[in-house]
Amino acid sequence: MNIELKKKSVLNWWKILAILLLFYTVIGGLLMEVPRRDILNESIRNLYFHVPMWFGMIIMLTISAVASIGYLSNSKSRFDIIASEMVNMGAIFGILGLITGMLWAEYTWGKFWSGDPKQKASVAGLLIYFGYMVLRASFSDDQLRARVSAVFSILAYPTFIVLIFVLPRLVDSLHPGNGGNPGFNAYDLDARMRMVFYPAVIAFSLLGVWIATLRIRIRTIDNLVIDKNYEKENSVILDHKVK
Amino acid sequence: MELAKETLALIQKEFLLEWRQKYAINGILLYLASTVFICYLSFGNSKLFASTWNALFWIILLFTSVNAVAKSFMQERAARHIYYYSVASPQGIILSKIVYNAIIMSILALMGFGMYSVVLGNPVQDKELFLINILLGAIGFSTTLTMISGIASKGNNSSTLMAILSFPVIIPMLLLLIKISKNAIDGLAWSVSSKDVLILVSINVMLGALSYLLFPYLWRS
């Protein structure tokens, strides 16, 4: 099997950046000064780990939706692989976001689950993308799967955005910054926290994209191997017929 | 103009088909009636809270519409789809299905409301807003579910797919509908619900536009 792949350097600049920022986030996020607030206290540090998960999820689902549009316009299987792997990674970020949020809620709101509108909306959003995964699994033909799931993904993405950004804003939420709760909005999030928060968002998003690109490469190589084997088998059959 | 004519012809075809084999519409009517009756029997003689009444009503409508709309692409044989493919444009087909389903769903929803009020009581104070909301809901359900049934019909095990794909996608719409109809039950002023109605209509327009744009890609396969 001699499949030629473009040789790339193992670590691009953005991967090095991701590693450095992740170290900074973990160390700085746990050790640097944070403002003292009632109820939140030290749990305010969860901002550095919980909120970047949602940023990462939205970034990856957006990439997936764009890749789906790309697939419909030129039917390259690469776009399909990107779309599906980005959804997988986005869903993992969503689950992590939910878990970090629920752990935090246990200590500040007193309950893992208190029916907060944002909790409900994020679970509903995850359900949409679990549906996408089941949809993908229900096809045996690759091209049909790619096209139909791209159509569903483009239909689902705006619904997801409405679910996450519009609906929770219509009702009061327990979340910091909503419904008169002390929060992290513009004037509350002070300079010390921003120093860690923005790098944390970048770090976790880069990490997610990094993992997704690895999986995309594995899938691409798998496809190449399958194609090669297919060609080989067919050429054997052809040779046989000729003889 | 061409498209409008084509869509009208296709809607006519849908009604004709329905008229000739009435089991589909009768089946779904019976489905609605027995669901309402089962809910009525399950609650016994206990009086329902307005919010329970409301939620139960919309859940019944949701299940009915999923079942009613699911057949739009699964009912006819593949060979006939190929025939439509050769004589009609995909835009015409999706528009006609959406409009047809919206009409059927409006009729079903209004009949459902009637039956539901008879057996489980009717706490609604603002009847007009409630009826408008039902019509909005019927149109919204048909827009979303028609496209999803097209997607689900391509996969294996399409009836399960129909449910798991449509339920989460319809949540925003369902929540808004329940909120508006709660306002109608409480008899609040229309200005309270106007914002929600606006969002509902815009979600509807968005999904309709997406279906119109995306259906040609789905149809090609």
Side-chain angles (χ1 to χ4, degrees), chain B residues 102-152:
Chain B
I103 296 170
I104 292 289
M105 275 316 302
S106 308
I107 297 169
L108 280 175
L110 290 175
M111 292 177 84
F113 178 51
M115 289 189 253
Y116 193 68
S117 319
V118 169
V119 291
L120 278 160
N122 186 349
V124 182
Q125 293 184 28
D126 188 345
K127 296 253 174 6
E128 287 133 57
L129 181 59
F130 197 87
L131 288 177
I132 291 173
N133 191 35
I134 285 181
L135 292 181
L136 277 178
I139 296 168
F141 282 173
S142 87
T143 323
T144 321
L145 296 175
T146 306
M147 187 63 191
I148 298 225
S149 88
I151 292 171

Side-chain angles (χ1 to χ4, degrees), chain A residues 9-236:
Chain A
S9 66
V10 185
L11 283 181
N12 305 50
W13 63 269
W14 60 270
K15 291 176 183 167
I16 297 169
L17 182 71
I19 296 171
L20 292 178
L21 286 180
L22 276 172
F23 270 111
Y24 173 69
T25 305
V26 174
I27 296 168
L30 293 178
L31 295 179
M32 277 163 72
E33 276 283 301
V34 287
R36 304 264 162 253
R37 290 200 198 289
D38 290 345
I39 305 169
L40 290 175
N41 296 325
E42 285 292 321
S43 81
I44 200 168
R45 294 180 192 279
N46 195 33
L47 174 78
Y48 305 138
F49 304 100
H50 170 64
V51 183
M53 293 299 141
W54 298 119
F55 274 87
M57 181 192 191
I58 289 160
I59 289 170
M60 274 173 269
L61 294 181
T62 309
I63 297 175
S64 167
V66 173
S68 300
I69 296 173
Y71 182 80
L72 287 188
S73 58
N74 65 12
S75 304
K76 286 211 176 84
S77 66
R78 181 160 179 78
F79 283 117
D80 179 50
I81 297 176
I82 294 175
S84 78
E85 286 306 332
M86 284 295 171
V87 164
N88 288 346
M89 211 49 225
I92 290 176
F93 267 55
I95 293 168
L96 288 177
L98 206 61
I99 293 173
T100 49
M102 280 166 70
L103 283 174
W104 177 82
E106 166 70 10
Y107 295 102
T108 43
W109 300 343
K111 267 184 273 178
F112 284 113
W113 191 266
S114 36
D116 183 75
K118 286 188 180 174
Q119 285 182 326
K120 292 184 204 159
S122 51
V123 171
L126 277 176
L127 282 181
I128 293 182
Y129 282 96
F130 288 150
Y132 173 84
M133 292 172 195
V134 175
L135 178 69
R136 289 191 69 88
S138 74
F139 290 98
S140 44
D141 177 49
D142 281 352
Q143 283 182 344
L144 187 63
R145 172 199 300 135
R147 185 153 62 237
V148 175
S149 53
V151 167
F152 179 71
S153 160
I154 299 170
L155 192 73
Y157 180 73
T159 320
F160 171 75
I161 293 298
V162 170
L163 207 52
I164 295 286
F165 288 108
V166 182
L167 293 186
R169 300 239 179 324
L170 295 179
V171 275
D172 270 352
S173 166
L174 288 169
H175 265 81
N178 296 100
N181 292 319
F184 321 114
N185 39 19
Y187 50 91
D188 271 334
L189 182 62
D190 71 5
R192 283 173 298 178
M193 292 197 72
R194 272 183 221 173
M195 294 250 301
V196 185
F197 176 62
Y198 293 139
V201 169
I202 298 171
F204 282 113
S205 306
L206 285 179
L207 179 68
V209 173
W210 188 358
I211 299 173
T213 51
L214 289 179
R215 295 197 37 118
I216 290 167
R217 273 164 73 188
I218 294 172
R219 291 264 307 266
T220 315
I221 294 169
D222 273 350
N223 281 0
L224 281 176
V225 171
I226 292 169
D227 284 353
K228 284 272 170 188
N229 287 346
Y230 184 74
E231 267 171 36
K232 222 198 283 176
E233 277 167 25
N234 276 14
S235 65
V236 169

Side-chain angles (χ1 to χ4, degrees), chain B residues 176-198:
Chain B
L176 285 167
L177 286 167
I178 289 179
K179 205 170 154 210
I180 298 168
S181 63
K182 186 70 182 38
N183 290 350
I185 290 172
D186 295 339
L188 301 181
W190 284 36
S191 55
V192 179
S193 329
S194 59
K195 199 169 116 194
D196 295 330
V197 173
L198 208 65

Side-chain angles (χ1 to χ4, degrees), chain B residues 13-157:
Chain B
K13 171 228 113 187
E14 294 280 348
F15 275 106
L16 202 65
L17 211 64
E18 196 62 74
W19 186 249
R20 292 209 180 137
Q21 33 176 324
K22 295 184 196 69
Y23 70 90
I25 186 84
N26 288 341
I28 208 73
L29 254 177
L30 194 57
Y31 181 96
L32 180 64
S34 28
T35 316
V36 169
F37 202 62
I38 279 181
C39 290
Y40 160 64
L41 291 180
S42 315
F43 276 99
N45 289 325
S46 55
K47 182 103 176 64
L48 291 187
F49 288 108
S51 53
T52 321
W53 185 92
N54 192 20
L56 192 62
F57 176 66
W58 282 104
I59 288 171
I60 293 175
L61 274 196
L62 175 66
F63 275 82
T64 312
S65 29
V66 168
N67 276 291
V69 178
K71 68 175 180 54
S72 21
F73 288 97
M74 301 171 194
Q75 181 187 32
E76 294 174 68
R77 260 182 256 111
R80 215 187 267 172
H81 278 298
I82 294 170
Y83 171 65
Y84 295 143
Y85 181 57
S86 59
V87 294
S89 71
Q91 283 88 355
I93 291 186
I94 188 73
L95 284 180
S96 70
K97 296 255 185 203
I98 288 177
V99 173
Y100 167 76
N101 281 331
I103 296 170
I104 292 289
M105 275 316 302
S106 308
I107 297 169
L108 280 175
L110 290 175
M111 292 177 84
F113 178 51
M115 289 189 253
Y116 193 68
S117 319
V118 169
V119 291
L120 278 160
N122 186 349
V124 182
Q125 293 184 28
D126 188 345
K127 296 253 174 6
E128 287 133 57
L129 181 59
F130 197 87
L131 288 177
I132 291 173
N133 191 35
I134 285 181
L135 292 181
L136 277 178
I139 296 168
F141 282 173
S142 87
T143 323
T144 321
L145 296 175
T146 306
M147 187 63 191
I148 298 225
S149 88
I151 292 171
S153 70
K154 299 281 177 196
N156 306 325
N157 196 4

